[in-house]
Amino acid sequence: MFGQKGQEAAPFELLIAVVVMTFVLISGVNVMQILEQENCKGQLDNQMEKMKTAIENVASGEGQRDFSFSMPHCFSRGVENSTPISKVNIKQVNSRQICSAYCPGATFECRLLWFATEDFHSVKCLRISTVTNFPTDDSICNDFTSLGEFTPTDLAEQNDGIAEGQYLLVRKYDPSSQNANICAYKRVI
């Protein structure tokens, strides 16, 4: 008599409560995934900015610089057909449209620090001369290799992207060339 109507509505109310709770849980998980992805993008952007600053400082003659690079976990270097999925490259670009999109001024040539996946890309303009070289020749980059803990590496010519590790950048002056040379040494671990 008393409360029969309440007992009839109870299963329906419970069903609605379960549906609402499921929606809240799914929404919460999605928000957490988005926050983690954004945090990871921020980590990559921060590492690329440090790399960019080190390269620009050395290119402008401000002494040697070091930086560490490691790919954030969400952009892991998984292998698909023996090619890294995520990679950071230094690209030489010869396009006014692309260069003006990322670098100030309307130049035909520029150097870009480039990262791209299907879902995300980050591009930084390297404010260095387009004739800057990253040689590995022992006649130019020989001062740290004798210590045994560094090996010269060409940052601009790595098809698989810049490898994770610790780097030391040193500007070298070659009397036989007018181009700026930046010797990049990767620490051997």
Side-chain angles (χ1 to χ4, degrees):
M1 309 212 183
F2 292 111
Q4 263 190 333
K5 191 167 187 158
Q7 288 177 351
E8 292 172 3
F12 183 69
E13 290 172 359
L14 182 61
L15 179 63
I16 289 176
V18 168
V19 168
V20 168
M21 184 56 91
T22 303
F23 175 74
V24 168
L25 287 174
I26 290 173
S27 297
V29 168
N30 285 341
V31 166
M32 293 296 285
Q33 288 174 342
I34 290 169
L35 285 174
E36 184 177 340
Q37 187 73 12
E38 290 302 315
N39 183 35
C40 200
K41 289 175 185 179
Q43 289 175 7
L44 176 71
D45 193 57
N46 185 34
Q47 290 205 30
M48 287 179 65
E49 189 64 36
K50 287 179 181 177
M51 189 184 314
K52 171 189 173 306
T53 301
I55 292 169
E56 289 175 347
N57 288 345
V58 171
S60 65
E62 295 182 21
Q64 65 186 36
R65 296 286 192 269
D66 60 344
F67 69 90
S68 294
F69 175 69
S70 62
M71 190 68 71
H73 69 280
C74 63
F75 297 117
S76 64
R77 294 174 64 97
V79 177
E80 183 177 286
N81 298 331
S82 301
T83 305
I85 295 171
S86 302
K87 59 186 179 179
V88 174
N89 288 90
I90 296 175
K91 290 190 175 201
Q92 175 87 23
V93 177
N94 297 315
S95 165
R96 181 186 295 263
Q97 183 179 7
I98 294 172
C99 289
S100 64
Y102 298 108
C103 298
T107 61
F108 286 104
E109 290 182 291
C110 61
R111 286 262 176 117
L112 300 174
L113 193 56
W114 189 281
F115 173 83
T117 64
E118 292 177 6
D119 303 325
F120 176 72
H121 76 280
S122 180
V123 179
K124 307 257 181 220
C125 178
L126 286 172
R127 291 183 178 97
I128 62 174
S129 170
T130 55
V131 293
T132 300
N133 296 320
F134 293 91
T136 57
D137 185 4
D138 280 342
S139 65
I140 299 171
C141 300
N142 59 3
D143 51 352
F144 287 95
T145 55
S146 62
L147 299 176
E149 65 179 295
F150 291 100
T151 181
T153 186
D154 187 343
L155 290 180
E157 296 296 327
Q158 294 190 17
N159 293 332
D160 291 337
I162 296 172
E164 296 183 69
Q166 295 178 332
Y167 291 87
L168 175 67
L169 303 177
V170 180
R171 181 167 179 172
K172 296 294 183 168
Y173 297 94
D174 182 8
S176 65
S177 172
Q178 294 181 351
N179 300 341
N181 292 312
I182 297 178
C183 293
Y185 301 97
K186 183 172 187 251
R187 185 177 299 272
V188 178
I189 298 175

